[in-house]
Amino acid sequence: MAQTQTPLLQVRDLKTYFNIGGTWAKAVDGVSFDIFPGEVLGIVGESGSGKSVTALSLMKLIPDPPGRIMSGSIMYKGQDIALLPYEDMYSIRGKEIAMIFQEPMTSLNPVFKIGMQIAEVAQSHLNMNEKEALEHAVEMLRLVGIPDPEKRINDYPHQFSGGMRQRVMIAIALACNPSILIADEPTTALDVTIQAQILELMLELQKKRGDAAIVLITHDLAVVAEMCQRVIVMYGGKVQEIAEINDLFNNPLHPYTQGLLASIPRPKRNRDRNEKLKAIPGNVPSIMNLPQGCKFCTRCEVKIDICDTVEPELVEITPGHFVRCHLVKKEATV
């Protein structure tokens, strides 16, 4: 079923490149998608597909140099934030759009106490004084499951485990109850039990706001199946497929999506059918040396001649289900 709501955020033809040795590497190349109120949107793909760079582009956190948003628009509440000066993003970043970063140790300041780092967000965006902000920091630590939060706000990042640091990052991101929460591998450092708790917490806080949306970047397709309403599949800096969750899992159209789903371990089925776990052959190509045509053609087992030289367009095959593949387009028009 296609979305009929007004998008909370619209991305159109976003291109983010990095200058490496005088050559522009196309990390994100013409990405377009919408984020709707109240939804959880998943972005999946192997490392190097452009997922995190897309997220950093939405936050305008691309380091310049060497990176740069070359073109495209990011429309949020009637303004194109891709055109905003860096300083003007302060009022949006953290309050309206927040991000849980993938590496908590490099995202937390090692010389400031945890409580201060959370309180700073509350003071900047919620007009709280220092005492109110520290009380809010304690509450946020309690929400994400940090024991004895009144004491731990006075600790430094190095005094926390990797999983605890990730929970602190989540507390900072959720401190202002943002309209859009971008979660880049938010549970990577957590064990399975805590992972489930954190994902449930994100959904609970989203429901409190009602119209808030979550963009979940992950490699874990099981988490995608549990959390998301729609999924974007990225490869080679481009969107290869977009579909609602049931359509994607029941009827994957792109060979890359099919490969990702086939690589999920299913112990009982594999054992009963005496099947080996399938893997996508080859490796993700360097963004400095992407294929001329379909970005997946060097690893695709069903490609045809045109795939090597002509980049397929992203085409809507059924309502809400888009795919970028010559074979699917050909089949749909027969």
Side-chain angles (χ1 to χ4, degrees):
M1 182 177 178
Q3 289 278 2
T4 57
Q5 295 174 289
T6 300
L8 191 59
L9 184 142
Q10 293 178 296
V11 180
R12 293 292 180 269
D13 199 28
L14 179 65
K15 297 182 179 180
T16 303
Y17 298 172
F18 289 84
N19 193 323
I20 302 175
T23 300
W24 288 103
K26 301 177 180 180
V28 173
D29 191 19
V31 166
S32 299
F33 61 90
D34 296 328
I35 302 172
F36 292 93
E39 80 165 340
V40 181
L41 174 67
I43 303 181
V44 301
E46 294 166 280
S47 296
S49 297
K51 308 184 302 299
S52 294
V53 175
T54 298
L56 291 171
S57 298
L58 300 186
M59 298 287 291
K60 291 206 72 174
L61 288 175
I62 298 297
D64 184 6
R68 186 182 302 171
I69 297 177
M70 305 296 287
S71 63
S73 63
I74 305 169
M75 299 300 299
Y76 177 72
K77 291 188 175 180
Q79 63 179 336
D80 185 357
I81 61 178
L83 301 177
L84 285 181
Y86 186 84
E87 302 77 25
D88 292 351
M89 278 297 293
Y90 287 143
S91 61
I92 295 175
R93 192 188 300 120
K95 182 180 181 181
E96 298 289 339
I97 306 174
M99 185 169 180
I100 302 170
F101 296 95
Q102 190 170 354
E103 297 293 340
M105 194 56 198
T106 57
S107 301
L108 294 170
N109 194 318
V111 301
F112 290 113
K113 295 177 181 178
I114 289 298
M116 178 183 176
Q117 296 190 54
I118 302 174
E120 181 183 24
V121 179
Q123 285 182 282
S124 299
H125 296 301
L126 301 180
N127 296 320
M128 293 182 176
N129 59 38
E130 184 177 353
K131 181 182 177 181
E132 292 171 335
L134 284 173
E135 290 174 351
H136 186 63
V138 170
E139 181 59 27
M140 292 309 303
L141 288 181
R142 184 177 287 111
L143 279 174
V144 297
I146 301 289
D148 198 9
E150 293 85 358
K151 178 182 177 182
R152 298 311 300 270
I153 62 169
N154 295 311
D155 290 339
Y156 292 90
H158 73 271
Q159 295 174 279
F160 289 74
S161 68
M164 288 285 194
R165 285 193 293 265
Q166 186 65 299
R167 280 188 267 177
V168 171
M169 279 299 307
I170 293 170
I172 292 173
L174 296 176
C176 296
N177 197 13
S179 295
I180 300 173
L181 175 65
I182 302 171
D184 189 0
E185 298 282 354
T187 57
T188 298
L190 307 181
D191 60 51
V192 175
T193 303
I194 300 301
Q195 172 179 302
Q197 294 174 0
I198 292 298
L199 294 174
E200 183 63 29
L201 171 65
M202 290 166 57
L203 291 177
E204 287 177 5
L205 294 178
Q206 179 200 26
K207 289 176 183 177
K208 286 182 180 179
R209 176 148 183 164
D211 62 346
I214 296 175
V215 179
L216 180 63
I217 300 172
T218 181
H219 293 278
D220 193 334
L221 289 170
V223 170
V224 168
E226 185 71 24
M227 291 273 293
C228 301
Q229 285 85 51
R230 289 191 305 132
V231 187
I232 295 173
V233 180
M234 288 192 68
Y235 186 87
K238 290 181 176 288
V239 172
Q240 303 296 338
E241 189 163 0
I242 303 177
E244 292 192 3
I245 189 69
N246 290 332
D247 287 343
L248 191 88
F249 276 78
N250 295 328
N251 185 33
L253 298 178
H254 198 284
Y256 180 58
T257 309
Q258 294 168 0
L260 290 177
L261 294 174
S263 66
I264 300 175
R266 296 178 176 86
K268 186 177 187 306
R269 190 190 73 176
N270 295 144
R271 183 177 64 251
D272 292 346
R273 299 182 184 180
N274 197 28
E275 292 181 348
K276 292 183 178 180
L277 186 64
K278 294 182 179 179
I280 300 173
N283 298 306
V284 178
S286 165
I287 58 173
M288 299 295 293
N289 189 31
L290 290 171
Q292 178 183 348
C294 173
K295 301 302 175 261
F296 188 59
C297 70
T298 56
R299 305 173 69 191
C300 184
E301 297 179 322
V302 294
K303 71 171 184 176
I304 54 179
D305 291 342
I306 193 175
C307 299
D308 292 320
T309 56
V310 178
E311 176 74 45
E313 296 180 359
L314 189 66
V315 177
E316 187 172 21
I317 302 301
T318 58
H321 196 154
F322 298 79
V323 67
R324 186 188 301 275
C325 180
H326 288 299
L327 284 171
V328 177
K329 185 178 180 182
K330 181 178 179 180
E331 291 171 0
T333 55
V334 171

